[in-house]
Amino acid sequence: MMLAQATAAVAQNIYDDKSFFDAYSQLKRSVEGLDGAPEWPSIQALLPALNGRRVLDLGCGFGWFCRWAREHGARSVFGVDLSEKMLARAKDNTRDDAITYERADLENYAPPTAAFDLVYSSLALHYVENLAALFHRAFAALIPGGRMVFSVEHPIFTAPTNPGWSEDSGGNIIWPIDRYLDEGPRITNWLAPGVIKQHRMIGTYLRLLLASGLCILHLEEWAPSLEQIAAHPDWANERERPPFLIVACDRPDR
Amino acid sequence: MMLAQATAAVAQNIYDDKSFFDAYSQLKRSVEGLDGAPEWPSIQALLPALNGRRVLDLGCGFGWFCRWAREHGARSVFGVDLSEKMLARAKDNTRDDAITYERADLENYAPPTAAFDLVYSSLALHYVENLAALFHRAFAALIPGGRMVFSVEHPIFTAPTNPGWSEDSGGNIIWPIDRYLDEGPRITNWLAPGVIKQHRMIGTYLRLLLASGLCILHLEEWAPSLEQIAAHPDWANERERPPFLIVACDRPDR
């Protein structure tokens, strides 16, 4: 089993790159936590009541969600991340005996089986190369009736060779799409040069979820609401194309 | 009931516009039928065995699928379309007592309930304004365990203000996205000026399907395969962004 796992891909650990980490630490969502992430209300709406529940956070970062889950009654929370720097910060931020942090690579991390009511992941799974295997392990980690809720970068966001706003000949702001069907790694210069993310289509996310046995509850192509844009006019372009995809699915309880 | 239906939207009947109809009649898929539609193999793979089954085709056009379903053992087939011209051609093409054609507007057509094993629709539902109501009626038309399979234009295809290929500053072929979150009518000049289609997001298709009680089986962001492009090199751009969305869902059998 360990040998088989050893052949799996090893993830890039960009979050432990000093310049990346320093830049990431300045983001609104890093400083303010969940309330600094404009998609958080949409994610929160998909979560089950956490009272007495066991929660797994795949790619827990600074531990903001782990802390929130405990504050909302979760019995225990496991936070997993590849980045030593992030886990160190998480441990500082959230001293709580019911939160366990573990350093692991999502490419091969095998959580305990039938041990969680909720598997959560925020903007981490687009770094994972073997997502089919991860979804199978997430399914196995859930109890029957358990839920998985995750966000990733939307494939419209990840697909392009040259992501970035442009103008068409009529002066409309546009986002250029190419290579949408060409799934696989994309190297971008987000916060640091050479960040590798995996572009995959919505259809592929759904196919892999269904193949793992999970049942689709909700899929949202998230962008800021009109109300959010009224409060942050500089976000207006985000409604031209969705930055994130948010998915909720259940392990059937039979 | 009829009064309530009379308040519903009335669909544009562009297929009975002479110049549109003449142009549409020249398309490869109009001349060659299902084998002239490159997405047909992907749709066919999602169909149940039709032997002895009852089939409803929403937007049946020239009746190519109705005929195919009968040739593959369907017991009876209902083809529904708004276009008189298309239905006249369909009746000419497929003389078969087990195929019934009916002229109706999908905005308010109410098929018989629990009467069909398969509801099929090819590239018609993006003309429908009240899709929530149509999905509810499709659910009701299916027997428990029955299936719906449909294709529509992909939202990446329908969203833009100015749909059409362009080049970025590096010379890459790109498809411009804007207004993706802005769901509603889009007026295009496809085959004739002023054709109205409804842009809606993948997330919205899924939300409406789930709200009707249907269970998602498969979602495919379709583009020609590499093999198809090898045979038709002029289709290569289609893999830069998917033209169609193909969905299969089931009415649960309990």
Side-chain angles (χ1 to χ4, degrees), chain B residues 147-185:
Chain B
R147 181 166 300 178
M148 176 155 74
V149 176
F150 69 88
S151 62
V152 287
E153 290 184 356
H154 193 289
I156 292 178
F157 190 86
T158 56
T161 305
N162 296 310
W165 300 109
S166 177
E167 279 188 18
D168 69 14
S169 58
N172 290 303
I173 296 286
I174 63 107
W175 179 263
I177 291 284
D178 67 344
R179 298 183 68 194
Y180 191 87
L181 274 283
D182 180 16
E183 298 186 291

Side-chain angles (χ1 to χ4, degrees), chain B:
Chain B
M1 186 61 183
M2 287 305 291
L3 278 172
Q5 289 184 355
T7 64
V10 173
Q12 180 188 41
N13 183 11
I14 192 74
Y15 284 78
D16 276 345
D17 175 276
K18 186 176 183 318
S19 62
F20 182 96
F21 183 82
D22 290 347
Y24 184 85
S25 297
Q26 305 302 316
L27 295 182
K28 188 174 167 70
R29 64 182 60 225
S30 302
V31 175
E32 298 177 19
L34 301 176
D35 291 332
E39 76 280 16
W40 167 242
S42 295
I43 292 174
Q44 194 180 345
L46 301 172
L47 299 174
L50 291 185
N51 213 35
R53 305 296 179 89
R54 296 151 297 173
V55 174
L56 173 62
D57 184 350
L58 297 174
C60 64
F62 291 149
W64 291 110
F65 180 74
C66 296
R67 189 163 99 179
W68 185 91
R70 277 289 289 158
E71 288 167 357
H72 289 75
R75 186 200 327 167
S76 61
V77 183
F78 264 69
V80 176
D81 209 287
L82 181 60
S83 161
E84 280 188 280
K85 288 180 194 284
M86 300 203 82
L87 288 171
R89 181 84 64 92
K91 286 173 188 167
D92 272 356
N93 281 354
T94 58
R95 298 193 176 278
D96 182 331
D97 288 345
I99 302 179
T100 306
Y101 290 109
E102 182 172 343
R103 186 169 183 227
D105 185 344
L106 296 184
E107 293 292 355
N108 50 45
Y109 171 66
T113 58
F116 297 99
D117 302 276
L118 172 68
V119 174
Y120 172 92
S121 182
S122 171
L123 299 179
L125 301 186
H126 50 249
Y127 294 110
V128 174
E129 205 174 318
N130 191 344
L131 194 61
L134 184 140
F135 282 164
H136 273 98
R137 294 192 301 261
F139 177 93
L142 288 168
I143 59 163
R147 181 166 300 178
M148 176 155 74
V149 176
F150 69 88
S151 62
V152 287
E153 290 184 356
H154 193 289
I156 292 178
F157 190 86
T158 56
T161 305
N162 296 310
W165 300 109
S166 177
E167 279 188 18
D168 69 14
S169 58
N172 290 303
I173 296 286
I174 63 107
W175 179 263
I177 291 284
D178 67 344
R179 298 183 68 194
Y180 191 87
L181 274 283
D182 180 16
E183 298 186 291
R186 294 291 190 276
I187 299 173
T188 66
N189 300 324
W190 178 63
L191 304 182
V195 179
I196 303 170
K197 294 175 185 169
Q198 300 295 324
H199 166 64
R200 47 177 67 90
M201 299 189 282
I202 295 179
T204 300
Y205 281 105
L206 292 180
R207 180 171 54 77
L208 298 180
L209 287 168
L210 292 166
S212 77
L214 291 159
C215 181
I216 310 300
L217 289 183
H218 185 85
L219 181 146
E220 183 167 343
E221 300 182 271
W222 184 89
S225 66
L226 296 171
E227 293 70 23
Q228 287 176 313
I229 286 174
H232 301 272
D234 54 317
W235 293 353
N237 282 358
E238 301 295 319
R239 287 184 70 82
E240 306 295 343
R241 63 92 186 91
F244 302 144
L245 187 67
I246 300 172
V247 178
C249 42
D250 271 359
R251 175 171 172 162
D253 66 1
R254 57 200 162 98

Side-chain angles (χ1 to χ4, degrees), chain A residues 11 23 25 75 86 90 100 106 111 167 170 191 200 215:
Chain A
S25 298
R75 187 199 327 167
M86 300 202 82
T100 307
L106 296 184
E167 279 188 18
L191 303 183
R200 48 176 68 89
C215 181

